[in-house]
Amino acid sequence: MTEQMTGAQSLIRALEHVGVDVVFGIPGGAILPAYDPLYDSTKVRHILMRHEQGAGHAAEGYAYATGRPGVCIATSGPGATNLVTPLADAYMDSVPVVAITGQQTRALIGSDAFQEADICGITMPITKHNFLVRDPSKIASTIAEAFHIASTGRPGPVLVDIAKDALQAQTRFEWPQRPELPGYRPVTKPHGKQVREAARLIAEAKRPVLYVGGGVFKSGASKELRVLAELTGIPVVTTLMALGTFPSSHPQNLGMPGMHGTVAAVGALQRADLIVALGARFDDRVTGKLSSFAPHATIVHADIDPAEISKNRYADVPIVGDCREVIADLIVAVRADQAAGRQGDYTAWWEQLNRMRETYPLGYTEPEDGSLAPQYVIKRIGQIVGPDATYVAGVGQHQMWAAQFIDHQRPGSFVNSGGAGTMGFAIPAALGAKVGDPDRVIWAIDGDGCFQMTNQELATCAIEGIPIKVAVINNGNLGMVRQWQTLFYDGRYSNTNLHTAPTPEDGKVRIPDFVRLAEAYGCVGLRCDRAEDVDATIEKAMAINDVPVVIDFTVHHDAMVWPMVPAGVSNDDIQYARDMAPEWDDEEE
């Protein structure tokens, strides 16, 4: 297929060929040639964002909702550098994103010309791959390669930087039969011998745990995971990035491990004699002090990215492959062992774990002054809205409470920034998720600090008809930072009071007033600061489906996230409340 056209027309035609239906972006000088043919496209919808960071996070939200690469567009220099944060975020969390940026003309590249930045050099450590396109004839094939790289193997972000005069030049559009990527051959099929060895260890273990990470969700292996878990009877822990991949309500689900995980999940990993890690990377927020993590466990580690195997914790049985194929093959191997009479007995192990669950359930303390508990708000949102919705969290206390107190029953129902911990993620990511899955209810659970970083995208939501619902958990502070100042800095609250909610010190000051701000952006603004009004406020928001809704939930400013393992401390030292640690069962019991 060949046709004469400009490089810019070739770019838009290529996007249409790979099935792109929406892009999130902001025009500017270097990318402007691409915006002219985009104006005529009947297949690609452009959503004009208010900040390039918002465009990147919206592309991430779209990718979460659809499983397809999200696309964001920016101009050169500051437009491109504003994409650095979402690209880093997508890289850490393995989100397929294609970022397209304009670059100065070929003759001026490297001369410090106006709005020039070496965005390929800048993003090299935080993209799966990036391209600088100088030849207009290479634009179409580069787009094909970018989408193939972003969506195969371990998903991730790819950046395509195109010189302005390459977009303006005439070229012949040629669509490649297949991407030409010598050396890029992700391994998806696991080695059978390694899988059979993992099955043998499962049959022989006394205290096994399935440690499930975001790779299981990314590979679409939720059903296979459930079959494996129920076939073996092994307890399951699901990381922050895997919540919903195995239903929260399933009796084998011990909850989330790590810094703010459940006592049962943390305790299970610490006392396990076998950990089967599936699409997880032994992140520091899960392991705590690495040298003390799971000291008695043999490790089976399955991941599509060989660089993750033994990176943090040595894998006794390394398995490189796509999680869906790994789990499917493991099911076959386990069934063969069971048919031969080799099956693990985990009765004593479950007795120990159930004691942990019963003794140290998730909970919280109501504020003594009668103010609103943030945990109650988030729990009621989950109960009233239900498990079919998608919940998109910012970063901080509200993120952890959303992980803990909402029942996550569906793969992809919880979207958040895990690895990078990016404040400002929730609003644009919720926007992108709603565009990708328009018939689903989308709730952004945000903090007052995160909300102020990207709330300008509410204007985009209002203008483009994207009716997300936003719960601002407003404690007037940078809540997680304040919690650390309480626990580790003797209550010296240096620069954490945001003045977004009234406190005894400042009376009724609200800067800004989130209800009036929401209204200024064309949204419905609501406020709730009493427990008896929570349900009615949520139900009112649920009844509004033609415009975005923002609820300012004014909550107690000293609420804390528990359980907690302080950074750099052994998981054995988890506290389920302040100065209260579990009394672990003796391992011989």
Side-chain angles (χ1 to χ4, degrees), residues 234-417:
I234 297 176
V236 178
V237 301
T238 48
T239 67
L240 185 69
M241 303 311 297
L243 293 177
T245 305
F246 190 72
S248 298
S249 61
H250 195 286
Q252 286 174 243
N253 194 338
L254 299 179
M256 184 175 72
M259 176 174 277
H260 295 295
T262 66
V263 171
V266 172
L269 288 173
Q270 287 301 99
R271 277 140 193 79
D273 64 0
L274 174 67
I275 293 176
V276 180
L278 302 168
R281 57 191 180 86
F282 293 89
D283 175 70
D284 64 289
R285 283 299 190 261
V286 168
T287 65
K289 185 179 180 181
L290 186 60
S291 61
S292 66
F293 175 72
H296 309 294
T298 298
I299 303 296
V300 174
H301 190 180
D303 202 288
I304 199 166
D305 185 355
E308 290 296 345
I309 306 287
S310 296
K311 184 179 79 175
N312 294 327
R313 173 67 180 261
Y314 175 77
D316 300 281
V317 180
I319 304 175
V320 177
D322 179 82
C323 274
R324 190 170 186 175
E325 297 202 32
V326 170
I327 297 172
D329 287 2
L330 193 52
I331 289 168
V332 173
V334 167
R335 283 178 172 155
D337 276 357
Q338 291 181 351
R342 296 186 294 272
Q343 185 166 354
D345 179 4
Y346 316 133
T347 305
W349 180 222
W350 270 113
E351 289 175 356
Q352 185 177 358
L353 296 175
N354 285 331
R355 283 196 297 274
M356 289 188 208
R357 283 205 283 206
E358 293 164 6
T359 308
Y360 307 108
L362 282 174
Y364 60 92
T365 302
E366 292 285 353
E368 294 181 358
D369 61 2
S371 58
L372 194 54
Q375 301 96 324
Y376 176 76
V377 171
I378 292 171
K379 188 172 184 177
R380 290 304 294 154
I381 290 173
Q383 290 171 336
I384 294 171
V385 175
D388 289 334
T390 294
Y391 301 91
V392 184
V395 168
Q397 289 181 315
H398 64 279
Q399 176 192 26
M400 294 297 102
W401 289 321
Q404 292 175 336
F405 291 103
I406 293 174
D407 287 331
H408 303 288
Q409 305 293 341
R410 177 178 60 83
S413 61
F414 188 57
V415 177
N416 75 125
S417 168

Side-chain angles (χ1 to χ4, degrees), residues 11 22 31 41 44 91 94-96 129 142 151 208 242 283 288 342 372 376 388 426 495-496 502 543 555 568:
L11 170 63
V22 63
I31 195 66
S41 178
V44 181
Y91 186 71
S94 304
V95 183
H129 193 68
T142 301
S151 57
D283 175 70
R342 296 186 294 272
L372 194 54
Y376 176 76
D388 289 334
N495 292 284
T496 43
V555 300

Side-chain angles (χ1 to χ4, degrees), residues 533-551:
D533 298 330
V534 167
D535 287 14
T537 305
I538 296 168
E539 288 163 359
K540 185 173 182 179
M542 288 294 290
I544 300 170
N545 294 304
D546 54 346
V547 294
V549 183
V550 177
I551 308 174

Side-chain angles (χ1 to χ4, degrees), residues 420-562:
T422 303
M423 292 180 69
F425 175 85
I427 301 302
L431 181 162
K434 185 67 174 177
V435 171
D437 195 358
D439 295 329
R440 195 175 297 280
V441 175
I442 310 289
W443 275 80
I445 311 291
D446 218 356
D448 48 317
C450 287
F451 181 67
Q452 292 185 82
M453 292 191 173
T454 52
N455 63 33
Q456 67 268 29
E457 302 305 346
L458 289 173
T460 307
C461 290
I463 291 167
E464 295 283 347
I466 305 168
I468 65 171
K469 304 180 194 301
V470 182
V472 181
I473 308 302
N474 181 8
N475 61 6
N477 285 266
L478 296 170
M480 189 63 87
V481 184
R482 180 183 173 91
Q483 175 167 335
W484 281 52
Q485 287 174 333
T486 300
L487 297 174
F488 310 121
Y489 292 88
D490 299 322
R492 290 164 56 84
Y493 299 117
S494 174
N495 292 284
T496 43
N497 186 353
L498 294 170
H499 298 281
T500 57
T503 67
E505 295 81 27
D506 56 24
K508 295 293 182 182
V509 174
R510 291 181 186 269
I511 303 175
D513 184 319
F514 290 143
V515 172
R516 294 166 65 190
L517 181 68
E519 292 169 349
Y521 275 130
C523 307
V524 172
L526 306 172
R527 177 172 289 121
C528 177
D529 56 12
R530 302 190 310 164
E532 55 265 37
D533 298 330
V534 167
D535 287 14
T537 305
I538 296 168
E539 288 163 359
K540 185 173 182 179
M542 288 294 290
I544 300 170
N545 294 304
D546 54 346
V547 294
V549 183
V550 177
I551 308 174
D552 178 1
F553 284 106
T554 308
V555 300
H556 194 273
H557 62 275
D558 271 333
M560 293 194 193
V561 182
W562 299 105

